[in-house]
Amino acid sequence: MRLSHYFMPILRDDPKEAEIVSHKLMLRCGMIRQEAAGSYSWLPMGFRVLKKIEQIVREEQDRAGAIEVLMPTIQPADLWRKSGRYDAYGKEMLRIKDRHDRDMLYGPTNEEMITDIFRQGVQSYKDLPRNLYHIQWKFRDEVRPRFGVMRGREFLMKDAYSFDVSREAGQHSYNKMFVSYLRTFARMGLKAVPMRAETGPIGGEDSHEFLILAETGESGVYFDRDFFDMDWSAFDIDYDDVAAVVKVVDDFTSKYAATDEKHDPAEFEKRVSESHRLAGRGIEVGHIFFFGTKYSEPLGCEVQGPDGKKVPVHSGSYGIGVSRLVGGIIEASHDAAGIIWPEPVAPFKVGLINLKVGDADTDAACLNIYKALEGKGVEVLYDDRDDRPGAKFAVMDLIGLPYQVIVGPRGLKEDKIEIKNRKTGARKTITVQEAGDYRNISDFIEY
C-alpha cells in the first residue's frame, strides 16, 4: 500500500479527551474516530489490526473444535425473562421496543439465545459435546465509557458456548478453552496470566479471567514470577487427550495469581517466596465461565441421556474482547515514540521509507523493493510522500510497524539499504548485491 493513496489521518498532538496511552495513540495514528461516547468508527489502519486479531482468535477456536455461527445483535426479551436475567442484568443492557411494541434488547452477551438454538437442534447425548462460537458486536451501556476501545459501549467480542451431557464432560470443554486462550494470546505476543475470577452477572461455578500486565490496567494483580519462566508457546496439543489438557491447566493454576477481588495476602506469602512475588496492574482480555445448568434448566434445554432419561445440558461460556485487545496490546507494547506492534497483529510488516521522492535512483530502488516484498507476500506500507525524512521517521515510529526499510540517495551511492527493527531499535545495513537486486530483501527482515 502506498501511503500517498492511503487514508491514515495522523494527529500531531495527543487528543485532550484521551486519558491512557492506547487511546491517545489510536487517535493519533488515525486508527479510530469517536462517533459517540464509547462508540468508534474503525479506520483502515485500526481495522487491519482488528481483523488480524479476529483471525487469530478464529483459528484457535477452530483448532480447539469450536464451530462458528453468527447470531443477531438484537434479541427478543422473552428469552431473557425465562432465564431471569432481563431485570437482573441492570441498566448496562440497552432495552428497546420494535414497531409492534415488543420488548427487544441489544445483546450484551448470548447465553440465552445460543441455549435456545441448541435446544431446538439437539436431542441426544450422542450429539454431544459441542461448542458453538461467534464473533459479533456487543453493546453495554456503560455509565462512564472511557479509555477508548478499552471501556467502550460498543465492542467486538468472541463468545463461545459449550454443551455437554455431564459436569465431568463439561469440565473438559472448559479446560480446552483454557488452553486455547493461552495459545491465542501467545500467538499475539502476549502473556495473559489466567486468574481465578468472580462470575458476575454470567453466573456459574468456575471462572478464570486472562490478564495482560500494563500500568494502566483496571485491576490490581498479584502473581508468581514463575509465570514468566514458562513456555507459553509450547501448546502443540491434542485437545481430545483429556490428561494432556488437564496437565496444562494444572500447571498454570497451581501457581498463585489473583486480582484485587480474589487476592489473599496470607496465602500469597505462604505459597510464593518473597523474591518471586510480583504485583502490578492488569487488563482483562478474556474470561471463561462454567455455569452448568444455569441456563439450560429454565430454558428447557435437555437431551436424552445414556439411560434414556432426559437430562439438562451442562454449559460454559468463553469470551475474548477482540476490539479491546487492540488497545490492550498497545498498552503492553509501546514506547515514547509510539506503538510497537507484535508482528502477528501488525497492520503491515514493513514500512518502506523513501528519503528523497523525485530522485530517479531512489524512486526506482524503492519501487523494486516494494514489488519484491509484496511478491513474497510481505505486507508493505510504502511512504512515497514528498515530505522531510524526519517527519517520515516520526510517522513510522508512531504507527509501530515491526520493520522499517530505509532508502536514500546517499546510501544508494554506497550500494547500501538500511533496515531497522522497531522493537529493539537495532539497525542493519545490507548491500543491493546481498539482497539479490532486492529479490531476497525479505531474508534480512528477520534479525
Side-chain angles (χ1 to χ4, degrees):
M1 175 61 67
R2 292 173 177 265
L3 191 49
S4 61
H5 298 169
Y6 201 51
F7 184 66
M8 191 176 72
I10 297 287
L11 301 179
R12 290 179 179 271
D13 303 309
D14 289 339
K16 293 180 180 179
E17 71 271 23
E19 300 177 62
I20 62 172
V21 170
S22 61
H23 194 192
K24 292 175 183 177
L25 290 175
M26 290 182 75
L27 289 170
R28 282 197 62 199
C29 292
M31 294 177 65
I32 56 172
R33 193 185 82 167
Q34 181 171 308
E35 303 298 346
S39 180
Y40 294 88
S41 289
W42 289 79
L43 306 185
M45 182 72 74
F47 190 61
R48 285 180 73 95
V49 177
L50 188 69
K51 299 304 284 186
K52 292 279 186 76
I53 291 172
E54 179 184 329
Q55 186 57 29
I56 290 173
V57 170
R58 176 176 288 110
E59 289 170 5
E60 290 303 323
Q61 288 293 285
D62 292 347
R63 188 175 186 277
I67 305 164
E68 189 169 11
V69 299
L70 184 61
M71 291 173 276
T73 55
I74 305 297
Q75 303 182 27
D78 289 347
L79 285 172
W80 286 69
R81 288 196 173 103
K82 287 180 181 178
S83 72
R85 284 208 301 172
Y86 184 72
D87 295 317
Y89 203 91
K91 292 183 178 180
E92 287 78 17
M93 186 162 66
L94 181 63
R95 296 162 173 82
I96 56 181
K97 288 182 180 290
D98 67 10
R99 67 193 301 166
H100 301 291
D101 205 37
R102 290 179 294 224
D103 289 325
M104 310 290 285
L105 58 97
Y106 194 120
T109 183
N110 283 75
E111 282 81 5
E112 284 82 0
M113 182 169 284
I114 194 65
T115 301
D116 190 57
I117 290 171
F118 196 80
R119 176 184 65 81
Q120 297 180 57
V122 173
Q123 284 76 44
S124 171
Y125 76 97
K126 295 179 181 179
D127 297 318
L128 301 178
R130 290 292 184 271
N131 189 323
L132 304 177
Y133 80 97
H134 74 163
I135 300 173
Q136 176 64 287
W137 290 95
K138 303 283 193 292
F139 186 91
R140 294 176 188 169
D141 197 1
E142 295 280 351
V143 175
R144 189 187 173 198
R146 55 196 301 225
F147 301 153
V149 300
M150 296 292 293
R151 190 178 287 278
R153 294 195 298 169
E154 190 174 8
F155 53 93
L156 186 63
M157 179 177 171
K158 185 284 301 182
D159 41 324
Y161 304 91
S162 61
F163 299 90
D164 289 273
V165 71
S166 67
R167 173 70 177 87
E168 294 72 27
Q171 185 65 53
H172 180 54
S173 293
Y174 183 90
N175 290 344
K176 286 199 296 183
M177 286 293 100
F178 187 107
V179 175
S180 176
Y181 276 34
L182 294 172
R183 282 183 52 92
T184 299
F185 298 128
R187 281 188 60 187
M188 299 177 195
L190 299 172
K191 290 189 174 182
V193 179
M195 303 190 181
R196 187 163 290 280
E198 298 287 351
T199 58
I202 302 294
E205 304 162 27
D206 295 327
S207 178
H208 285 89
E209 56 187 353
F210 293 75
L211 295 100
I212 57 176
L213 297 183
E215 292 180 1
T216 52
E218 67 262 90
S219 302
V221 294
Y222 304 83
F223 60 99
D224 190 328
R225 181 189 292 276
D226 284 350
F227 274 110
F228 291 139
D229 297 329
M230 302 176 74
D231 186 355
W232 293 63
S233 60
F235 295 118
D236 188 11
I237 193 167
D238 177 1
Y239 281 104
D240 292 326
D241 186 336
V242 176
V245 173
V246 167
K247 184 179 184 306
V248 173
V249 175
D250 286 347
D251 285 347
F252 277 86
T253 56
S254 64
K255 297 172 178 58
Y256 188 94
T259 62
D260 282 331
E261 294 175 327
K262 290 283 190 177
H263 179 51
D264 183 335
E267 184 184 359
F268 192 37
E269 292 182 11
K270 180 180 178 181
R271 291 179 54 188
V272 185
S273 64
E274 186 174 357
S275 63
H276 277 226
R277 292 178 205 144
L278 294 179
R281 309 294 298 177
I283 296 169
E284 180 193 338
V285 290
H287 205 154
I288 61 176
F289 306 83
F290 184 80
F291 42 73
T293 60
K294 176 179 171 65
Y295 299 97
S296 60
E297 286 185 341
L299 295 172
C301 185
E302 299 178 323
V303 296
Q304 187 179 53
D307 59 0
K309 295 179 180 180
K310 291 280 189 179
V311 294
V313 297
H314 290 254
S315 298
S317 68
Y318 316 92
I320 289 179
V322 177
S323 54
R324 169 178 261 241
L325 268 164
V326 181
I329 290 170
I330 294 172
E331 292 292 329
S333 184
H334 68 273
D335 61 15
I339 301 168
I340 303 173
W341 288 116
E343 193 171 318
V345 300
F348 299 90
K349 183 174 182 177
V350 172
L352 173 60
I353 304 173
N354 184 334
L355 294 181
K356 193 170 184 180
V357 173
D359 178 84
D361 290 339
T362 308
D363 289 349
C366 285
L367 184 59
N368 286 333
I369 293 170
Y370 181 55
K371 290 180 178 178
L373 288 173
E374 288 210 322
K376 290 202 169 186
V378 178
E379 295 174 313
V380 184
L381 183 63
Y382 172 26
D383 191 343
D384 60 341
R385 301 168 303 152
D386 186 11
D387 205 346
R388 295 176 295 106
K392 292 189 173 191
F393 291 142
V395 167
M396 282 298 176
D397 282 347
L398 177 68
I399 64 176
L401 307 184
Y403 301 97
Q404 298 171 15
V405 175
I406 304 161
V407 183
R410 184 181 303 175
L412 286 177
K413 285 180 181 178
E414 299 177 5
D415 196 33
K416 292 179 179 178
I417 301 161
E418 189 173 41
I419 302 173
K420 175 184 173 182
N421 183 307
R422 174 68 179 90
K423 182 177 181 179
T424 65
R427 294 172 179 264
K428 182 174 185 176
T429 300
I430 63 171
T431 66
V432 174
Q433 186 176 5
E434 283 178 315
D437 293 329
Y438 312 116
R439 291 188 301 276
N440 301 320
I441 196 168
S442 60
D443 296 341
F444 296 90
I445 298 299
E446 309 288 349
Y447 72 93

